[in-house]
Amino acid sequence: MNSENQAVEERTWSKPKLIDSAFLRWTITFLVIIYIIFAVRSFEINVDRIIRGLDRAWEMLYAFLQPDFLARQSHIFQGVLESITMTVVATSLGILFAIPVTLGAAKNISPLPVYYFCRGILVVFRSLHVVILAILFVIMFGFGPFAGVLTMIINSIGFIGKLLSEDIENISDETLEAIRATGASWPQLIIYGVWPQVSSRFIGLSIYRADMTFRQSTVIGLVGAGGIGAVLDTAMGRYDFNTAAAILIVIIILVLIGEYVSSAIRRRLT
Amino acid sequence: MLEIIDLVKKYDSGPLALDGVNLKIEAGDIIALIGPSGAGKSTLVRCINRLVEPTSGKIMLNGVDISSLNKKELREARKNIGMIFQEYALVERLSVMENVLSGRLASVSFWQSLRRNFPQKYISEALSLLDRVGLGDYVDTRADQLSGGQRQRVGIARALLQKPDLLLLDEPTASLDPKTARQIMRLVVDLVQEKNISAIINIHEVKLAELFTKRIVGLREGRIVYDEEAAKLDTDALTLIYGEEDWESERPAEDESE
């Protein structure tokens, strides 16, 4: 028995490496490390400036411990109201406009030219970050909530279009065939074959989207697109840290409420 | 009733799926389509209602060439062709009744289908079909609550609500256990004979084909290599369709061990 086992050569195994050549593997690792070292050095970290900044940081932190809700009460209130209005308008219009693009961007239910066109729209909409979009729209249409609403509509279309069209592409092909085989028209295929299969996901995404839009509405105000962010920007610009702190607290509370409500609704849906 | 002439299908990738198929079916005929996986059975069945677009050839159904119809005419033609699928192909989140009524989508407007406002005639027909397939108590049950056999019964009711002249069945029993498979085949064959519908049953299990159909068509590599009465199917025919195999031994595992 034993002698037999020894006669058989030990066969080993190890996981195949991502890059076969050992030389190439080590060269790439080395180059990446060198790059990171130089990259960090290129930032020219100025210790003096940081130390001076620390004073102001303390000042700010101290102010934040005494938030002042009252001094600019009406501005904060109006800012919040504007953000909420923007959220409602941008979310509902965004979802509405997203529907045709979403259907077009699902390969299994749309002809190829339409598919490429809608995918193209989604790629463009998604590649532009909200802040960049907001700056563009502020330049085009001036300061204020209109630019903000447009920004978030575009962003909603990109978000819902991308995620939901992928969900549509994953629904059962045979079910679609079955509905087609009955002689149903394309709109009937959508409402009878597609919608029931993605409706709960659609509603879930829409609620998440509303939550997301509110958070975005606080950011894009910083570049002049209206909402509570604009009030925050003004407060920061005046070094009025007590008011800024109050605004930040209000934003945090509203985001928390939004998150809680949206997750509560989504839990009910599934 | 249905005549397929020189039907060719070539997919963008890969060889010919159908290589000049000719097939003629009379009213009330029930034929089984057998053949190895990849022989083109599914493609053939799907070309008839153009879920798959044929590359060339003609599909004459009651004197109309289906392959030449435009979209609107095709929808009209599809009304007369019912289809039953391997994985049942129900809309899982809709109720049994909604699934059955979807068989009549082509006969109602968009708004009627959106509001599920089907004419009383179709509702009564759907209800009696559900009774007939044994699902009278499941009208408002969601399709995803049903067992495989029950789902296939919904699929049958949906296809028959169309009042089709021709019924296409794509592996209707392949996802079912042997007993349910037989029950489903019996139900389909009974209903098809009762309503004098022609049927093409694409099926893997030769035994079921022999049991429930009168005519067997063998497809191999996109060509029809066999077309005879079911009773005449013998081991030579099986070799012709599927290739060399010891067809006589029923349970090869037992033979080997003893």
Side-chain angles (χ1 to χ4, degrees), chain B residues 34-55:
Chain B
I34 62 171
S37 306
K41 303 192 298 286
S42 272
T43 305
L44 177 55
V45 163
R46 280 172 166 74
C47 276
I48 295 172
N49 61 0
R50 276 177 57 192
L51 286 177
V52 169
E53 287 293 335
T55 309

Side-chain angles (χ1 to χ4, degrees), chain B residues 23 31-35 41 44-45 200-204 217-219:
Chain B
L23 186 65
I31 73 160
L33 197 59
I34 62 171
K41 303 192 298 286
L44 177 55
V45 163
I200 300 176
I201 308 175
N202 166 0
I203 194 161
H204 253 304
V217 173
L219 203 63

Side-chain angles (χ1 to χ4, degrees), chain A residues 166-185:
Chain A
E166 273 166 14
D167 283 321
I168 294 177
E169 286 178 347
N170 285 331
I171 66 178
S172 153
D173 279 340
E174 233 190 16
T175 303
L176 292 182
E177 279 190 316
I179 301 292
R180 283 198 185 103
T182 64
S185 62

Side-chain angles (χ1 to χ4, degrees), chain B residues 151-176:
Chain B
R151 288 183 203 203
Q152 196 56 295
R153 286 164 195 272
V154 177
I156 293 168
R158 173 175 65 190
L160 290 178
L161 187 70
Q162 287 179 242
K163 291 239 166 94
D165 298 327
L166 175 66
L167 193 60
L168 306 172
L169 297 98
D170 186 30
E171 307 276 6
T173 61
S175 306
L176 300 171

Side-chain angles (χ1 to χ4, degrees), chain A residues 174-175 177 183 188 192 196, chain B residues 46 87 90 93 98 105 108:
Chain A
E174 233 190 16
T175 303
E177 279 190 316
Q188 287 177 323
Y192 232 97
Chain B
R46 280 172 166 74
E87 301 283 352
L90 305 179
R93 287 170 162 274
E98 285 174 298
L105 282 177
V108 300

Side-chain angles (χ1 to χ4, degrees), chain B:
Chain B
M1 188 250 158
L2 174 74
E3 191 175 2
I4 296 170
I5 305 159
D6 262 334
L7 188 66
V8 174
K9 172 64 190 178
K10 191 181 183 316
Y11 287 105
D12 290 341
S13 56
L16 285 174
L18 295 176
D19 186 6
V21 170
N22 289 285
L23 186 65
K24 202 169 173 184
I25 294 164
E26 300 303 332
D29 273 3
I30 304 173
I31 73 160
L33 197 59
I34 62 171
S37 306
K41 303 192 298 286
S42 272
T43 305
L44 177 55
V45 163
R46 280 172 166 74
C47 276
I48 295 172
N49 61 0
R50 276 177 57 192
L51 286 177
V52 169
E53 287 293 335
T55 309
S56 70
K58 282 186 175 172
I59 301 152
M60 308 295 296
L61 180 67
N62 297 327
V64 179
D65 181 10
I66 295 197
S67 64
S68 69
L69 300 179
N70 66 28
K71 274 188 180 170
K72 205 175 169 201
E73 294 164 338
L74 176 63
R75 288 211 300 274
E76 204 54 38
R78 278 175 174 170
K79 276 192 195 173
N80 297 321
I81 309 173
M83 188 155 178
I84 291 168
F85 296 81
Q86 174 178 347
E87 301 283 352
Y88 330 120
L90 305 179
V91 184
E92 301 272 308
R93 287 170 162 274
L94 294 184
S95 69
V96 166
M97 187 63 172
E98 285 174 298
N99 269 291
V100 175
L101 285 169
S102 72
R104 273 294 180 181
L105 282 177
S107 309
V108 300
S109 71
F110 173 77
W111 291 110
Q112 282 176 307
S113 41
L114 182 66
R115 293 167 51 223
R116 309 291 193 258
N117 180 19
F118 287 84
Q120 183 55 43
K121 188 174 61 159
Y122 299 150
I123 293 176
S124 332
E125 279 170 13
L127 289 172
S128 54
L129 271 170
L130 279 174
D131 283 338
R132 180 69 177 79
V133 300
L135 290 177
D137 294 337
Y138 294 87
V139 172
D140 285 322
T141 309
R142 243 169 66 160
D144 54 9
Q145 311 277 316
L146 301 178
S147 69
Q150 288 173 323
R151 288 183 203 203
Q152 196 56 295
R153 286 164 195 272
V154 177
I156 293 168
R158 173 175 65 190
L160 290 178
L161 187 70
Q162 287 179 242
K163 291 239 166 94
D165 298 327
L166 175 66
L167 193 60
L168 306 172
L169 297 98
D170 186 30
E171 307 276 6
T173 61
S175 306
L176 300 171
D177 67 69
K179 186 184 169 200
T180 314
R182 280 168 168 248
Q183 290 172 336
I184 290 291
M185 280 299 281
R186 194 170 298 127
L187 178 67
V188 166
V189 170
D190 284 353
L191 280 165
V192 162
Q193 283 171 342
E194 209 172 278
K195 296 173 192 292
N196 198 33
I197 303 169
S198 314
I200 300 176
I201 308 175
N202 166 0
I203 194 161
H204 253 304
E205 270 195 84
V206 178
K207 268 271 161 323
L208 287 177
E210 287 180 294
L211 265 173
F212 291 103
T213 65
K214 296 210 171 60
R215 181 176 158 203
I216 293 181
V217 173
L219 203 63
R220 184 176 184 176
E221 289 171 5
R223 289 167 179 277
I224 289 183
V225 293
Y226 181 86
D227 187 350
E228 288 286 351
E229 282 173 42
K232 288 192 182 163
L233 191 78
D234 54 16
T235 53
D236 286 346
L238 287 175
T239 301
L240 179 68
I241 299 165
Y242 290 99
E244 227 32 86
E245 168 63 52
D246 182 7
W247 299 107
E248 292 293 341
S249 57
E250 281 282 295
R251 294 198 172 82
E254 272 180 13
D255 291 353
E256 276 163 28
S257 62
E258 281 166 28

